[in-house]
Amino acid sequence: MVMRDGDALDVRPGGDPSRAAAHHHGAYHTTAFFLTLYAATLTAWTVYGIVQGDSSVWDFVEGLFNPGASPASQLVGPYEWAFAAAFLATAGLAVAHRRPARSAALFSGFFLLAVSLREAVGLFDAAYRDQYATDPLGGWALATRVLGLVVAVVVLAAMLPATEGRARGRVRGRTGSVGPEGQGPDRTDSASAVTATGAGTDASAPGPCAGARGRCLSRICGVLFLAMGAIRLAWTTRDLSTAGMDTFRYLRGAVDGSVLGTLNLAASAEFTTLGSILAFFVLGVLAFRARGDVRGALLVFASVELYLTVRTAVWLTVTDFFNQSFETPDGALSMATTAFSLAAMTSVAVLVMGWGPGRTGAAEPAGAPEGGGEARGGLPQA
């Protein structure tokens, strides 16, 4: 809603700024259904592994946080457990029409697409294809891979167009008042509406990075993600440069599913390591630029990484690595990396959950002080 009181322009949102526009609800519901479907599939594989294995349910629960308690052979691993929970959380946000669900769903879609493309590359290997035909679970594993590709395509196709900025033109047209002599919208009113809400921002749906606080928090998260990406890249480069390391096979294992030689649905270490580096840098740059709502994607990936880091910390405690870590430089650096990862991912999760539009959801008018407040002087009327 846009109202004029003398020379002051009052821009008020037409709805809850934390929720998606009504014409995007169908895309959000579709996304929620398919993400829930894939999460249920991963849960089914987990339950099947527990039933068929020698371990009990309690062993599995303990293995969620203690790698030493996990069974030696797993159909799915901690990465899949973490993302199954993330998919369900994203689906819940989508059903509630929360805007962070869009970036969370897009991140999930790109992750599933990367997994599917890696498996597609592996299928070019004849021996790997034969495993799907001879393994008793080969058909189910292939069906799960195909489902992942379908979910990725549907989620990306549904959520990529569901941007709130598309309503900008319609809002601008409604807010313009009739000029003198009935010759169409008053140019000053239209310019005032665009200026007051900020270039590229929907008057009825201001972005969460419109205020100085939102931009600051977004950049802090971006810096933490970029730092994590740089640290992990340094460790990976160091590992690949050690004597006897087959760098080509390692890099190929990240993009070719046949290199591992098994049909396990658990992601390989090569894929998760290099994929996490890419995700840290991409999301870090987007968050640092504060150009859009990436809260959902930041929260999903930070939560996954936090879970995996906690799991690593538990393993280091169980193996008494803490007491021996400072005996070598590598041990000290490893401990410092783990501590920084815990602090950084916890900070991002806390900042993202406390970052969003204000109670009114209004964006800062152009010319307002960085800390908020009213713009001095209204725009003159024509």
Side-chain angles (χ1 to χ4, degrees):
M1 180 188 301
V2 178
M3 301 175 60
R4 181 174 292 280
D5 182 11
D7 289 338
L9 186 66
D10 183 14
V11 181
R12 299 180 183 178
D16 188 346
S18 65
R19 296 182 182 270
H23 55 280
H24 292 321
H25 287 182
Y28 278 66
H29 293 163
T30 300
T31 296
F33 172 79
F34 278 92
L35 288 180
T36 302
L37 178 62
Y38 195 75
T41 303
L42 293 178
T43 303
W45 277 105
T46 302
V47 173
Y48 178 83
I50 296 173
V51 173
Q52 295 298 317
D54 298 330
S55 58
S56 64
V57 175
W58 173 249
D59 291 332
F60 169 76
V61 173
E62 185 181 357
L64 287 175
F65 294 96
N66 179 12
S70 300
S73 178
Q74 300 179 41
L75 299 173
V76 292
Y79 224 73
E80 288 70 32
W81 301 333
F83 268 101
F87 293 159
L88 290 176
T90 302
L93 290 175
V95 168
H97 310 140
R98 295 290 180 179
R99 289 191 190 175
R102 180 175 182 267
S103 62
L106 289 177
F107 177 79
S108 301
F110 281 118
F111 168 77
L112 286 176
L113 183 62
V115 172
S116 302
L117 293 178
R118 177 178 180 271
E119 193 65 19
V121 172
L123 290 175
F124 283 99
D125 184 89
Y128 188 63
R129 289 198 307 270
D130 290 341
Q131 290 189 51
Y132 278 106
T134 57
D135 192 290
L137 296 177
W140 291 105
L142 183 60
T144 302
R145 298 297 191 186
V146 173
L147 177 62
L149 177 61
V150 172
V151 171
V153 172
V154 170
V155 168
L156 293 177
M159 296 304 272
L160 279 173
T163 173
E164 302 301 326
R166 291 181 177 270
R168 185 175 67 237
R170 294 195 296 274
V171 173
R172 195 184 309 173
R174 288 198 305 269
T175 59
S177 60
V178 178
E181 300 178 0
Q183 295 179 357
D186 184 281
R187 292 184 179 180
T188 303
D189 289 350
S190 299
S192 301
V194 175
T195 304
T197 57
T201 304
D202 187 350
S204 67
C209 294
R213 179 175 180 271
R215 288 191 298 270
C216 180
L217 294 180
S218 180
R219 286 167 182 161
I220 292 173
C221 293
V223 169
L224 292 174
F225 262 50
L226 291 174
M228 278 298 305
I231 292 172
R232 189 157 297 179
L233 178 61
W235 275 108
T236 304
T237 303
R238 176 187 176 280
D239 292 340
L240 293 178
S241 62
T242 56
M245 182 67 180
D246 190 344
T247 303
F248 176 76
R249 188 181 187 281
Y250 184 94
L251 296 177
R252 184 186 165 203
V255 297
D256 186 350
S258 66
V259 173
L260 188 61
T262 65
L263 298 184
N264 273 1
L265 295 174
S268 67
E270 298 88 348
F271 175 80
T272 57
T273 300
L274 297 182
S276 66
I277 293 173
L278 179 62
F280 275 129
F281 280 122
V282 172
L283 293 179
V285 170
L286 292 176
F288 186 78
R289 295 178 65 186
R291 292 295 183 87
D293 188 358
V294 293
R295 289 175 297 164
L298 291 174
L299 184 58
V300 164
F301 193 57
S303 299
V304 170
E305 285 293 324
L306 180 59
Y307 163 70
L308 295 174
T309 305
V310 168
R311 200 166 183 267
T312 300
V314 172
W315 174 245
L316 295 178
T317 303
V318 171
T319 57
D320 201 30
F321 182 81
F322 281 122
N323 295 331
Q324 307 172 9
S325 59
F326 294 100
E327 295 179 0
T328 63
D330 285 351
L333 286 175
S334 178
M335 285 298 303
T337 300
T338 302
F340 178 79
S341 179
L342 283 172
M345 295 303 98
T346 302
S347 299
V348 170
V350 171
L351 290 176
V352 169
M353 287 190 288
W355 154 29
R359 183 167 298 181
T360 62
E364 288 184 9
E370 275 295 303
E374 297 180 355
R376 299 183 181 273
L379 293 173
Q381 294 190 21

